[in-house]
Amino acid sequence: MDKIPYLMLHTEKGSRYLSLVGSNYWTIGRSKDNDFVISDQWISRNHAMLQSTASEEFYLIDLGSRNGTFVNGRRVSIPVILRDSDRIVFGKTKLDFHCPKNSKITNSPHSNNKVEYDAPTSTLHVRRLMSVMVIDIRNFTLLARQLDDNTLSLLIGSWFRQAGNIIRNSGSWVDKYIGDAVMAIWFHGQKQVTNQELAKIFGAIIALKEMTAALNLKKEYSLPFELRIGAGLNTGYAMVGNTGSGDHPDYTAIGDTVNLAFRLESATKQTDSDIVLGETTYEYLSQIDGLQDCFKKHNVKLKGYEGTKVIYAGNFESLDDFFLDDFSEDRLPV
């Protein structure tokens, strides 16, 4: 047990051991559909989530709970990395997180949840064509300064929870929660991105924009300025490996395709746009009549890349007009 990451749940009836192996994320709350169900009236039905990464870090994400999530006495408003022996509080329930240094655990779906010590967490073994989306909340630092901790936690938790649902409904999942951003991956065939796949990706982006806009209208937040998001989308090949199990896949992707998606999201600020595409993504848009017209070509300098890079920038208004007025799935060739 010394090398296995786990939570120790403290109750009036004693302590309860909750193992953190066999998956890459665990949901926590009162509802029976959670991985860890805690019967505490002060805990929300879907209160929080733990996510493990290929680098053996554990992120704790509050999902917009009413009474908050606390780590070592501080309220969680954005995903935080847990350290060994951190004290977590949900409502009136206390847990201790344990993850000794240098523990290396394989959560392979073929291992029958057996723990293998001193083994790599992830074996990269498949080269896949994929689209990687990185989407973040604009001006989050300024927002955090102007909102109280309680309101900020409720707002951001709600955004993360709804973003996760939208991305799952589009055929992907949140691969990473990073500060005020999420990263999602869509896998394609070996050599082609279909129109239906493009429709799902852009449908998710529009839904994320609409969800964010709806949060601005909620009176309980009283936001000092409009909440907005920016998105980077890149398509290409990367090496991946599945280290998850069951309904919790953990596809770890590495390579320039992933790195560039983060740089493209940053380029939305350079180009004063809402969404920026890589060249390959833009080329695939030619399959759907008129969609390329929503984006304009730019040559920009991106951090980590020599010279200038060709990107394509657009805004949500143009996408809205295209999808509402000109686009329907029955127009798509099979």
Side-chain angles (χ1 to χ4, degrees), residues 180-196:
D180 58 342
V182 296
M183 168 184 154
I185 296 173
W186 284 265
F187 287 132
H188 307 301
Q190 191 56 31
K191 296 182 179 180
Q192 186 66 25
V193 179
T194 70
N195 292 352
Q196 284 77 11

Side-chain angles (χ1 to χ4, degrees), residues 136-139 230 264-273 276:
D136 86 334
I137 298 173
R138 294 285 181 82
N139 299 316
L264 293 175
E265 190 285 317
S266 297
T268 59
K269 303 172 185 68
Q270 290 177 248
T271 55
D272 191 27
S273 58
V276 169

Side-chain angles (χ1 to χ4, degrees), residues 139-147 152 155-156 223-225 227:
N139 299 316
F140 178 78
T141 302
L142 181 61
L143 184 70
R145 289 174 183 163
Q146 297 187 38
L147 292 180
L152 182 66
L155 172 67
I156 302 305
L223 297 180
F225 53 82
L227 195 67

Side-chain angles (χ1 to χ4, degrees), residues 179-240:
D180 58 342
V182 296
M183 168 184 154
I185 296 173
W186 284 265
F187 287 132
H188 307 301
Q190 191 56 31
K191 296 182 179 180
Q192 186 66 25
V193 179
T194 70
N195 292 352
Q196 284 77 11
E197 289 167 341
L198 287 172
K200 286 183 178 180
I201 293 170
F202 280 92
I205 291 172
I206 291 171
L208 287 163
K209 183 268 298 183
E210 291 176 347
M211 177 271 289
T212 305
L215 290 176
N216 288 304
L217 304 178
K218 291 188 176 291
K219 294 180 180 179
E220 61 261 40
Y221 299 136
S222 299
L223 297 180
F225 53 82
E226 183 183 5
L227 195 67
R228 295 177 59 242
I229 57 175
L233 181 63
N234 192 39
T235 303
Y237 287 90
M239 298 300 291
V240 298

